[in-house]
Amino acid sequence: MYAQGTESLIKQAREINDEELVKFYGRISKLLLNKDYGNETVDSLQRLHLIVSATKYGRRLPSDLLEKLQALLCSPGSSEQLQVLSSSILREGLPLSVAKLPIKDLQDSRTTSYVASVILAQAKSKAELAELSHHLLKAVEIRQPDVQVCRHTLPILSAAIRSSPDVLMEDHVNLVNRKLVDWLRYASNQQGASMSTGGFFMGPRARQPAPMNEVDGAVAGDFFTVLCVGQSYTEDQWMNMYAFSMLRKWLRTYDIEENSGSGAAQVNRVQFTQPFSDDRSEVDGSVMSMVSATSSSSRLLPPKERLREKAFEYCQRLVEQSDRKAVKKADTELQKACLVEAVTIMNIICKEDPSFVYRAFPCIKALYSRLSGDLAFSRVLLPIAQFYLNHSETAAVDSEAVFRQLFSSFPAELFNEPMLAFEFVQFCRTNMAVLQESMPLYGQSFPNLLKFLAWNSPALVSEYMELLPSLLAPSTAIELLHSLLDLPCLAAVLDLQLRSASYAASEKTLWDSGGSKAPSSLDAFRQPHYRGMFLYILRPEAGTGDTIDRLRMLHDILADMVESPRVVQCAQTVPVLLHVYFHTVAQFADDKLINQLVLVLLERSSLLMDIKNYQTEVQRVFSSHLLALCKLHPSLIMEQSRELLDMAGSTINIYQKEELYTHVVWAIGEYLSLSHDARCTVEHITSSFETLEAVLFEITQVRQSASAPRFSPRLVTVLMTTLAKLASRSQDLIPRVSLFLSKMHSFTCSAPVVACYSEEDREAIVTRAHELVNLLKLPNVAQFVLTPSASGDTPRWHRDTNASLPFAMRALSGLLPKHNTFLTG
Amino acid sequence: MVKCFLIHTLCPVSTLSAKESRILYCRVFEPMDQLSGMNTDIIPEEKRLLEKEKLATIARQVQSTCSLWREARGQPSVEPVLGEEARALEEADSGMLRLPVGDPFPEEHFLLWLGVHALGFSMVCQADDNLLLAEGTLRSLASHCLESLRLLAPGSEVLLKSDRIEALLHHLVPHGQLLFINHRFAQSLDKELTACMAK
């Protein structure tokens, strides 16, 4: 598909030399001067466009060429293709003065639109946009037969106000409000005779035109909307379509209730059953739909409020029209888009004027009942849910059913639809605060909500990083942690679920993982024996248990999926989510929860799916947050001492999870002391000491047959330091540890260690051992250095000389013989 | 409203590094800097350079997201040939991403993408746009581009005949406005387009 020729063409366009370029410009200038608009000109202009747009550095066109291009653009006689080319070149090339474009003289609709595209791209000030808007609206205001209203007036205005809403003055805004009412509500409901029907106010044709149809072929039941079809359209019908297309934006920008001023207008809302006749506000047709019958004329309302009223009616009509079964698929898709837009606009209107809520809800409720069973309309249900969220309280309507469907069934059935998943997640993000505060079902549904993430992690992970704090509650925190750790499992199981649904059971031999005795994951998915496990992973709501006992078995069954790209991608997003989790939970966790979290850390660090790098990355996260948790709740070392020592006492853990192990040992050394927990006794310290001493002894045994150490030097130094710390708190242990440490030298000199560790590392071990031994010769100093008081974390060293470590150190080093070093590592 | 529309590569390009994407066509509807007083002292060349760099980051993002999506999906696709535009579009991968504030635009935007084998069609929309409509519009644009520029065949028409895409955008997404067009409106617009390009 993508050819090498394209690359070389781009290169040529970028590297064309100046001489050739000047010649080329000259040639085009000449062609334009001679008004030669044949194929050669078109070709040259196409190449010129490529030349100016191929480079990101911009090309300055000579002023005479610019002038000719502007003239070409602004001349109504130019063909559309030439206008396209000239406007695109003027947009890309530099520089351009918008002031030179004769906007005021433009009459022709098409030319105006192309010139506007250049102005919108190059305008440097609001004044330039204001001038453009002014010109467009003048034609709208004048209503003369020979003055053509630019068809793209509304899109241009919409683009202009995007840059800054105050481009339009208030009277222009009111003018547009009035015109929008005319176009939306009172457009002709007859088919246009032909495409060439020009002018905005042509009189009725001699032959009776046919009426518009609905999308299912029936005659149109009420006023014209974008869901009406006909052979061709009149100008005001085109404006109807453009008006609806920019209505939402317009209302969001200008339909804002001011507290002062227009408040008085609200009171004068007079209801008439019979509308006044006006050349633009007749009620067409004898067939009346519900909308026209119940509409109020609202002739006395100010333009803004009148637009609101008519916009509301338009939306109601669209909702009605969407119930018809469209003949063409494109129209079915349009119906869905119209529903989304209509409900959203009604939501905006109701926010500005709550009195609309009572009129809107019957319509929205009926729409919901119609669509709730049909998953094809799932994306429409999101704006409906938003409406309920915003207004159900005002109207005292029960929204339970809507949200139950949203949180309980959508994620389970539609997790693999990327567009729905994205919009669903945006819905949650937008309404996060409200959902967290007033909808318990939201927080309870996290197992379901995680399904979107598991299926499409790369696209959704940044959204979930924002959502996760809102899903975290004290009662379900542990279950959520387990769910995050098993996110790759969830991805695998969802994949199995989909595959299982699409392949018949008889084809199961295809999935047999050749020759192995264990069932393949797909087979296992279908077996009743394992059903419970899979059902747990696929559960829609939290609360049935933090995790399952047979997790190891589940991981084993899913072993054939550990290399599936989806599972691997999912596993790569888990560490960052864990970071968010721990940062959030640290803000509200009480001591009990922290203890539970530490237990989960210890337990799950080796109970994870065997995906490449997954265990290592998770352990890294665990290690850093273990320390944070210890800092928050130092007593946890005491309270969980049994589990921690079980972990620290087993050398297998060194080889399987060294990082976490090292941090556990360090934490024990740091926090197992009287200053952090009054319940700490000599027995506790001694038993910890003995456990760690045994481990250090085992791993540093110097034997001829010993293999190279499979642990890093850092582990050795941390163990040594921890033992020294413990010894400093129970001074009977000092001789033992000193003796031990003095043997470290021979450890570092042994052959396997020399082969494995660098010289720096070995020296570091020896130096550390030496320092610790020296330090322990002065037990009181050792205690001071190795067990800083709890208030050491918030040092007042510069203020309180008694607690000042540097001063103490300096004093001591002055008193003691020079050859002792006091560098604490 | 649409902020920009891009056509770019999703396959490795020999003259670029592996993760980069070649932009074959781009149209920006809204100038990059708001007229609210920000960046008024940046000269036009710098402004343009900044704009192009931001578009390049978007194309790269789509490329990486699309390749991850395809990797996860697992099924290798058969390269479509000329004449199979409808099938290519049906089998196309698609997705949506959020572009947060500052990355790369000052306001939050949504990025829709469509991957037709080695070509990507991307559309950046504002945060409060009708995404269902945007998706439909993007597909419609892609379908028109595939047919009128013969994108499934090796050729460079996408570069030399970019005025066709300009005209297409001018009619289907005028000045960035997404349109609620039913099949009849679409037919009328198609007729206008054909008339425009026939000359």
Side-chain angles (χ1 to χ4, degrees):
Chain A
M1 273 170 89
Y2 182 66
Q4 200 47 37
T6 315
E7 276 301 294
S8 65
L9 202 56
I10 294 178
K11 190 161 180 259
Q12 273 175 40
R14 285 179 180 176
E15 293 174 4
I16 184 169
N17 67 51
D18 288 340
E19 207 186 298
E20 252 183 77
L21 197 54
V22 166
K23 262 201 284 188
F24 186 56
Y25 290 155
R27 205 168 79 224
I28 299 182
S29 277
K30 205 161 131 217
L31 286 168
L32 293 177
L33 187 64
N34 296 339
K35 299 212 191 296
D36 177 358
Y37 300 139
N39 284 336
E40 197 197 334
T41 311
V42 170
D43 226 38
S44 305
L45 287 174
Q46 284 171 338
R47 282 186 190 269
L48 178 60
H49 181 251
L50 178 60
I51 288 171
V52 294
S53 60
T55 166
K56 60 186 178 183
Y57 293 110
R59 292 213 187 262
R60 291 191 165 256
L61 297 174
S63 53
D64 73 308
L65 179 58
L66 275 179
E67 272 169 29
K68 295 196 175 62
L69 287 169
Q70 284 175 29
L72 185 63
L73 173 64
C74 298
S75 150
S78 303
S79 72
E80 186 167 359
Q81 189 179 28
L82 288 172
Q83 285 182 324
V84 169
L85 282 164
S86 51
S87 67
S88 59
I89 294 168
L90 288 171
R91 275 200 320 266
E92 288 282 334
L94 308 162
L96 177 72
S97 166
V98 157
K100 291 204 186 127
L101 288 168
I103 188 72
K104 288 199 181 68
D105 303 330
L106 295 175
Q107 305 276 11
D108 167 55
S109 165
R110 192 181 77 197
T111 310
T112 309
S113 186
Y114 280 107
V115 171
S117 73
V118 178
I119 295 177
L120 287 169
Q122 303 263 15
K124 287 192 198 58
S125 70
K126 283 184 212 176
E128 286 166 352
L129 291 178
E131 205 192 318
L132 172 63
S133 320
H134 187 71
H135 172 77
L136 291 168
L137 289 174
K138 220 166 55 171
V140 169
E141 203 171 14
I142 291 177
R143 295 168 83 165
Q144 275 170 19
D146 55 342
V147 173
Q148 207 182 33
V149 170
C150 173
R151 209 188 250 187
H152 286 165
T153 297
L154 292 174
I156 296 171
L157 283 179
S158 204
I161 64 175
R162 174 158 67 177
S163 308
S164 46
D166 48 345
V167 157
L168 290 183
M169 311 297 295
E170 192 184 331
D171 44 349
H172 279 156
V173 172
N174 285 334
L175 168 64
V176 176
N177 282 338
R178 283 198 299 273
K179 290 312 297 177
L180 286 175
V181 167
D182 283 345
W183 286 321
L184 287 173
R185 188 63 180 77
Y186 302 112
S188 148
N189 216 2
Q190 257 104 40
Q191 299 195 22
S194 73
M195 281 290 294
S196 56
T197 313
F200 199 53
F201 287 96
M202 291 294 281
R205 312 285 292 169
R207 213 178 36 201
Q208 191 66 8
M212 279 286 165
N213 292 332
E214 301 283 356
V215 290
D216 59 357
V219 171
D222 202 344
F223 58 88
F224 179 83
T225 71
V226 294
L227 286 176
C228 291
V229 293
Q231 290 292 343
S232 65
Y233 295 101
T234 59
E235 278 305 308
D236 56 345
Q237 288 166 344
W238 281 96
M239 297 310 276
N240 178 298
M241 183 270 289
Y242 287 116
F244 181 66
S245 301
M246 50 81 86
L247 184 59
R248 190 207 287 207
K249 179 87 194 299
W250 182 263
L251 289 174
R252 274 230 165 95
T253 310
Y254 292 114
D255 187 20
I256 304 160
E257 272 311 304
E258 283 126 8
N259 289 326
S260 59
S262 59
Q266 294 296 314
V267 182
N268 300 332
R269 197 183 290 279
V270 183
Q271 304 279 335
F272 282 88
T273 49
Q274 205 51 38
F276 289 125
S277 70
D278 177 287
D279 59 334
R280 300 308 302 159
S281 51
E282 301 142 26
V283 177
D284 287 7
S286 53
V287 181
M288 295 270 254
S289 75
M290 277 299 292
V291 179
S292 284
T294 56
S295 88
S296 61
S297 156
S298 59
R299 291 272 300 142
L300 298 185
L301 289 174
K304 183 169 84 173
E305 281 75 7
R306 190 148 183 258
L307 176 61
R308 228 185 255 164
E309 173 67 41
K310 298 303 165 190
F312 190 81
E313 287 172 17
Y314 196 101
C315 294
Q316 282 183 310
R317 169 120 165 89
L318 286 179
V319 170
E320 246 175 49
Q321 285 176 298
S322 302
D323 201 8
R324 298 171 182 267
K325 186 115 178 41
V327 171
K328 297 267 179 189
K329 181 169 177 258
D331 292 342
T332 311
E333 295 307 308
L334 184 67
Q335 281 177 316
K336 290 181 195 166
C338 284
L339 280 173
V340 169
E341 193 76 0
V343 174
T344 309
I345 291 177
M346 287 207 266
N347 197 0
I348 295 173
I349 293 174
C350 288
K351 269 195 209 151
E352 290 306 322
D353 184 353
S355 69
F356 278 93
V357 173
Y358 306 102
R359 289 166 62 185
F361 246 117
C363 175
I364 303 274
K365 262 187 3 190
L367 181 62
Y368 174 70
S369 337
R370 221 169 78 203
L371 300 181
S372 61
D374 190 350
L375 288 177
F377 283 85
S378 54
R379 285 173 74 178
V380 181
L381 283 173
L382 289 170
I384 293 178
Q386 184 70 58
F387 189 91
Y388 270 89
L389 199 61
N390 291 133
H391 304 293
S392 61
E393 219 174 282
T394 313
V397 169
D398 179 30
S399 56
E400 165 83 17
V402 176
F403 290 103
R404 188 151 286 285
Q405 181 178 16
L406 203 66
F407 292 120
S408 303
S409 90
F410 269 26
E413 323 248 358
L414 301 167
F415 59 85
N416 59 332
E417 306 238 333
M419 307 302 204
L420 173 79
F422 181 82
E423 290 195 289
F424 191 107
V425 171
Q426 294 312 318
F427 171 81
C428 291
R429 257 191 76 240
T430 315
N431 300 294
M432 212 160 56
V434 172
L435 289 172
Q436 187 183 11
E437 218 178 270
S438 52
M439 194 167 302
L441 181 60
Y442 168 70
Q444 287 291 106
S445 301
F446 72 75
N448 240 4
L449 295 176
L450 289 176
K451 288 177 186 169
F452 290 127
L453 175 63
W455 189 255
N456 192 6
S457 337
L460 294 174
V461 63
S462 47
E463 319 301 317
Y464 274 81
M465 280 170 65
E466 284 191 35
L467 277 183
L468 200 56
S470 67
L471 293 171
L472 199 47
S475 54
T476 49
I478 300 293
E479 192 181 340
L480 181 56
L481 179 56
H482 282 290
S483 299
L484 286 176
L485 293 168
D486 283 324
L487 209 61
C489 278
L490 180 58
V493 174
L494 289 172
D495 191 52
L496 291 175
Q497 189 183 41
L498 274 183
R499 280 195 283 150
S500 175
S502 54
Y503 288 97
S506 58
E507 287 172 298
K508 70 174 186 177
T509 46
L510 276 172
W511 302 100
D512 223 335
S513 43
S516 69
K517 291 204 190 100
S520 77
S521 49
L522 192 60
D523 289 333
F525 187 75
R526 294 191 186 124
Q527 288 178 27
H529 179 57
Y530 301 119
R531 204 84 195 111
M533 288 193 305
F534 289 115
L535 282 177
Y536 177 78
I537 294 287
L538 292 172
R539 71 200 186 286
E541 263 182 62
T544 53
D546 292 341
T547 184
I548 49 175
D549 294 333
R550 298 193 285 166
L551 204 55
R552 167 87 52 211
M553 191 191 301
L554 180 64
H555 292 161
D556 290 341
I557 289 172
L558 295 173
D560 60 356
M561 298 206 61
V562 296
E563 287 182 9
S564 138
R566 197 180 296 282
V567 172
V568 171
Q569 283 172 13
C570 185
Q572 286 166 350
T573 59
V574 171
V576 71
L577 291 168
L578 289 176
H579 277 302
V580 174
Y581 175 91
F582 281 110
H583 280 302
T584 314
V585 90
Q587 288 163 21
F588 63 78
D590 60 3
D591 292 347
K592 182 159 164 266
L593 184 58
I594 293 181
N595 283 344
Q596 286 177 311
L597 285 171
V598 170
L599 289 179
V600 172
L601 290 193
L602 295 177
E603 182 200 335
R604 291 300 307 259
S605 53
S606 49
L607 186 57
L608 295 167
M609 247 178 110
D610 188 19
I611 306 165
K612 191 171 161 196
N613 288 337
Y614 185 50
Q615 290 205 18
T616 319
E617 291 299 320
V618 169
Q619 280 170 31
R620 193 168 298 168
V621 176
F622 279 177
S623 306
S624 65
H625 289 286
L626 173 68
L627 299 186
L629 291 174
C630 287
K631 208 161 174 180
L632 274 178
H633 176 47
S635 307
L636 80 87
I637 299 290
M638 269 298 304
E639 289 162 11
Q640 307 295 332
S641 59
R642 193 168 60 91
E643 287 83 4
L644 289 166
L645 285 178
D646 278 346
M647 198 251 188
S650 164
T651 46
I652 298 177
N653 289 330
I654 295 181
Y655 306 125
Q656 282 183 353
K657 25 186 164 171
E658 186 185 314
E659 174 108 19
L660 187 62
Y661 182 91
T662 312
H663 283 78
V664 167
V665 168
W666 189 91
I668 293 174
E670 189 69 6
Y671 295 106
L672 189 66
S673 76
L674 205 61
S675 58
H676 285 110
D677 191 325
R679 299 166 290 177
C680 180
T681 63
V682 170
E683 279 78 37
H684 287 116
I685 295 182
T686 312
S687 68
S688 305
F689 180 91
E690 285 174 348
T691 311
L692 295 176
E693 187 193 32
V695 168
L696 187 57
F697 181 70
E698 193 184 319
I699 64 176
T700 56
Q701 269 185 43
V702 179
R703 294 191 309 264
Q704 280 308 104
S705 55
S707 51
R710 287 184 286 146
F711 44 85
S712 70
R714 191 174 71 131
L715 176 64
V716 176
T717 51
V718 169
L719 273 167
M720 292 190 315
T721 314
T722 302
L723 287 172
K725 284 178 182 171
L726 293 174
S728 74
R729 294 164 203 161
S730 170
Q731 298 179 359
D732 307 336
L733 301 168
I734 293 183
R736 265 167 87 170
V737 75
S738 298
L739 187 60
F740 195 118
L741 290 174
S742 56
K743 294 188 184 151
M744 292 312 293
H745 185 79
S746 50
F747 166 71
T748 57
C749 292
S750 69
V753 174
V754 169
C756 191
Y757 289 167
S758 72
E759 192 174 323
E760 281 164 10
D761 289 337
R762 284 181 286 126
E763 232 182 82
I765 294 176
V766 170
T767 315
R768 175 67 67 92
H770 190 64
E771 287 167 2
L772 289 170
V773 166
N774 279 342
L775 195 56
L776 290 171
K777 284 180 188 159
L778 300 162
N780 291 334
V781 179
Q783 191 168 38
F784 182 62
V785 168
L786 295 174
T787 309
S789 62
S791 61
D793 283 343
T794 50
R796 298 171 296 123
W797 294 338
H798 64 289
R799 279 186 258 157
D800 184 346
T801 46
N802 292 334
S804 168
L805 184 60
F807 281 125
M809 294 295 292
R810 228 172 279 142
L812 284 167
S813 59
L815 287 172
L816 289 168
K818 291 281 184 248
H819 64 261
N820 277 347
T821 55
F822 281 93
L823 299 166
T824 57
Chain B
M1 293 194 77
V2 176
K3 190 174 175 79
C4 60
F5 172 73
L6 303 171
I7 303 180
H8 56 96
T9 58
L10 291 176
C11 57
V13 173
S14 56
T15 46
L16 297 172
S17 72
K19 295 212 167 79
E20 284 183 80
S21 170
R22 169 73 70 208
I23 295 182
L24 299 168
Y25 175 83
C26 72
R27 167 83 158 102
V28 176
F29 290 102
E30 186 197 353
M32 291 286 156
D33 60 347
Q34 304 296 309
L35 290 176
S36 53
M38 275 168 43
N39 301 331
T40 42
D41 51 352
I42 291 187
I43 61 174
E45 279 92 340
E46 278 179 23
K47 198 171 82 152
R48 186 197 151 87
L49 183 59
L50 192 58
E51 188 181 285
K52 296 291 179 191
E53 297 284 3
K54 287 185 181 180
L55 294 173
T57 64
I58 291 174
R60 277 201 296 276
Q61 225 171 326
V62 172
Q63 173 155 339
S64 84
T65 306
C66 183
S67 73
L68 284 169
W69 174 260
R70 285 176 171 169
E71 199 186 16
R73 195 189 47 158
Q75 302 144 6
S77 51
V78 176
E79 185 171 344
V81 294
L82 201 58
E84 291 180 343
E85 281 84 9
R87 177 174 81 83
L89 213 50
E90 215 167 308
E91 292 175 357
D93 302 297
S94 61
M96 274 199 245
L97 285 177
R98 182 171 67 99
L99 300 174
V101 170
D103 185 17
F105 303 122
E107 286 163 3
E108 186 179 87
H109 284 81
F110 291 147
L111 168 59
L112 280 88
W113 59 268
L114 196 64
V116 180
H117 207 74
L119 277 182
F121 298 88
S122 301
M123 183 190 262
V124 175
C125 297
Q126 290 184 308
D128 64 350
D129 273 337
N130 186 322
L131 295 176
L132 199 46
L133 183 67
E135 194 192 335
T137 309
L138 182 60
R139 280 188 183 270
S140 171
L141 288 174
S143 164
H144 277 91
C145 287
L146 285 172
E147 281 173 22
S148 70
L149 295 171
R150 298 160 55 85
L151 290 175
L152 293 180
S156 309
E157 285 173 13
V158 64
L159 294 180
L160 290 171
K161 306 255 189 264
S162 59
D163 55 312
R164 291 195 187 164
I165 318 178
E166 291 278 344
L168 176 67
L169 287 172
H170 192 83
H171 286 261
L172 287 189
V173 192
H175 308 282
Q177 180 70 57
L178 293 165
L179 299 178
F180 287 87
I181 43 178
N182 58 46
H183 78 277
R184 281 290 180 197
F185 272 117
Q187 274 174 12
S188 296
L189 289 172
D190 278 346
K191 266 194 232 160
E192 284 176 23
L193 262 176
T194 323
C196 161
M197 287 298 118
K199 290 171 192 166

